[in-house]
Amino acid sequence: MRRTNLLAAALIAPLLLLILGSFLVPVGLTLFRAVADREVVATLPETSAILAGWDGEGLPPEAAFAALAREAGAALQARRIGDLAQRLNFERTGLRTALLRVARAADRLAAPHAQSLPALDARWGERETWLLLQRAGGPTTALYLLRAMDATRTPQGEVRALPVEERLYRTLFLRTLGISLLVTALCVLLAYPVAAAIAGLRPPWSAVALTLVLIPFWSSVLVRSTAWFVLLQREGPVNGALQALGMLEAPVQMLGTRFAVVLALVHVLLPFAILPMHSVMKGLDGTFLRAAASLGANGPQRFLRVWLPLSLPGVLAGGAMVFLLSVGMYTAPALVGGDRDQMVAWFIANFMNRDVNWGMAAALSAYLLAMTGAMVGLVRVLTGGVAQAGLRG
């Protein structure tokens, strides 16, 4: 028995190492970026050490001003000041300019630096600026996690909500959740009768029907989303067909709308709902339905009391798969959606590729991961309860 267990462990080990190295470790390191705060201490180590001993009253000692001027100038010459400037400016707009002014004038600044730095930029004479710099000394921060929930920390350390005009991400998560739930519901409703019909077919027609379901997988998501971009244009085939049928008098704007996003996502994700449902329905024993009929159950009763509860595992699997894919979808909303229809994935990509702000990208990813996990867990609990209730009935 022990030898068999060792052999099984040896066979499983490569798969576990692959999962660990290609998924768990990269995801874990990425999520750690949501709380990592190393820019200040890496670029201004002496300044950070001095501020660590500052009591926060008044202004820091002259040594902190002098160290900041010296280290900022050295960082500019070594071209290492970009990450620091971006980190400080993200927490307080304008600190990038203040820092670069000090770095460029470092060789010309004369003692006492506690006077020459504020003369160069008044923000260095403010206690709040130095408190921010002290708090950014790391090694961890809640800044990105707070911003991803439309909150911030004041220079005094209090957590407060951002002004109404600056709030964005709570609405973004609600929008992503709403679109994903709508797409999931539509895919489940459309996929269920299709999966049931395919499960009732006999070879070779069942194979033909499954092939038709799998055909969309032969092209990429980008190609299918681009096709909807062409179809939904004002002068595209959809508007033309609706006008020819007399349903529209003039072309309507479809691109850049929530309707276009939902339509494209349903088209892309529908096969992911059909296949799990078909797999479960294909294995259901028809004798249960015949037994229910022999006991006097009519068609709707047989469906609600027998077929639906037995097929719910497939509905759960298909719905969960569609939901997980839709919350992280980037391509379709980016191509056919407008500014008010972009989902969390678009903002994550934007922070990574354009703003190069890995902290915010990681924070949004962490919340997205938590949201999907909670929703899938909730659906499993609710669906499991419904299935058990149905079987008991």
Side-chain angles (χ1 to χ4, degrees):
M1 179 64 69
R2 183 177 180 182
R3 185 176 181 180
T4 303
N5 292 338
L6 290 176
L7 178 61
L11 293 174
I12 296 174
L15 177 60
L16 294 178
L17 291 175
L18 177 63
I19 295 175
L20 182 67
S22 63
F23 178 73
L24 295 180
V25 172
V27 170
L29 292 175
T30 300
L31 294 179
F32 178 71
R33 293 288 191 98
V35 295
D37 198 12
R38 297 170 291 185
E39 292 86 352
V40 173
V41 71
T43 310
L44 308 174
E46 184 180 351
T47 305
S48 297
I50 296 172
L51 291 178
W54 174 45
D55 60 5
E57 298 296 330
L59 291 176
E62 164 68 17
F65 287 86
L68 174 65
R70 182 170 55 255
E71 290 181 320
L76 181 63
Q77 292 181 358
R79 298 183 178 180
R80 294 184 291 105
I81 202 170
D83 291 341
L84 173 63
Q86 183 186 50
R87 161 67 179 85
L88 297 178
N89 199 72
F90 180 75
E91 189 162 3
R92 182 181 173 186
T93 304
L95 283 187
R96 176 186 180 89
T97 302
L99 182 66
L100 291 178
R101 283 177 179 172
V102 172
R104 290 164 181 161
D107 296 336
R108 304 190 304 272
L109 293 173
H113 291 84
Q115 297 180 8
S116 57
L117 262 69
L120 186 66
D121 193 298
R123 280 166 287 206
W124 296 115
E126 299 174 0
R127 172 172 167 267
E128 288 75 12
T129 301
W130 291 98
L131 285 173
L132 186 154
L133 201 61
Q134 181 190 54
R135 192 171 64 248
T140 60
T141 181
L143 170 65
Y144 302 114
L145 292 174
L146 288 174
R147 284 295 180 87
M149 284 287 105
D150 295 328
T152 188
R153 192 184 296 276
T154 66
Q156 292 74 28
E158 301 176 1
V159 177
R160 293 182 180 177
L162 289 172
V164 176
E165 63 274 9
E166 297 181 21
R167 298 175 190 175
L168 169 65
Y169 299 109
R170 291 184 186 180
T171 302
L172 172 64
F173 278 106
L174 290 176
R175 179 197 308 160
T176 301
L177 179 62
I179 292 176
S180 300
L181 289 176
L182 177 59
V183 169
T184 301
L186 291 174
C187 284
V188 168
L189 291 175
L190 293 173
Y192 196 91
V194 174
I198 297 176
L201 294 176
R202 294 184 177 182
W205 299 111
S206 58
V208 173
L210 278 178
T211 302
L212 294 176
V213 173
L214 293 172
I215 283 177
F217 288 110
W218 298 352
S219 60
S220 68
V221 175
L222 178 61
V223 172
R224 284 177 276 168
S225 301
T226 304
W228 282 112
F229 182 85
V230 175
L231 291 172
L232 297 178
Q233 293 186 60
R234 288 184 62 87
E235 306 302 328
V238 174
N239 266 306
L242 292 176
Q243 285 181 276
L245 293 173
M247 301 176 65
L248 291 177
E249 295 182 0
V252 297
Q253 181 65 37
M254 295 185 184
L255 283 177
T257 63
R258 185 69 52 85
F259 166 78
V261 172
V262 172
L263 181 62
L265 288 177
V266 168
H267 172 245
V268 169
L269 300 177
L270 187 58
F272 292 97
I274 295 176
L275 294 177
M277 293 184 192
H278 169 266
S279 178
V280 171
M281 292 176 183
K282 191 67 176 177
L284 295 183
D285 192 346
T287 56
F288 292 119
L289 293 176
R290 291 192 292 272
S294 67
L295 294 174
N298 56 28
Q301 288 176 329
R302 292 197 299 271
F303 172 76
L304 293 175
R305 304 294 293 274
V306 179
W307 182 266
L308 181 60
L310 292 176
S311 63
L312 274 180
V315 175
L316 169 63
M321 189 172 296
V322 170
F323 180 80
L324 289 173
L325 291 173
S326 61
V327 294
M329 187 62 67
Y330 167 80
T331 307
L335 280 175
V336 302
D339 293 337
R340 297 179 180 273
D341 303 306
Q342 299 306 319
M343 300 165 69
V344 174
W346 186 91
F347 284 83
I348 293 174
N350 189 65
F351 276 119
M352 292 178 64
N353 299 326
R354 194 189 73 175
D355 298 341
V356 197
N357 189 336
W358 285 77
M360 276 301 296
L364 292 174
S365 300
Y367 284 127
L368 185 63
L369 182 63
M371 182 181 75
T372 55
M375 287 300 301
V376 171
L378 178 62
V379 170
R380 283 184 63 87
V381 171
L382 295 177
T383 309
V386 171
Q388 293 176 6
L391 290 173
R392 286 195 302 267

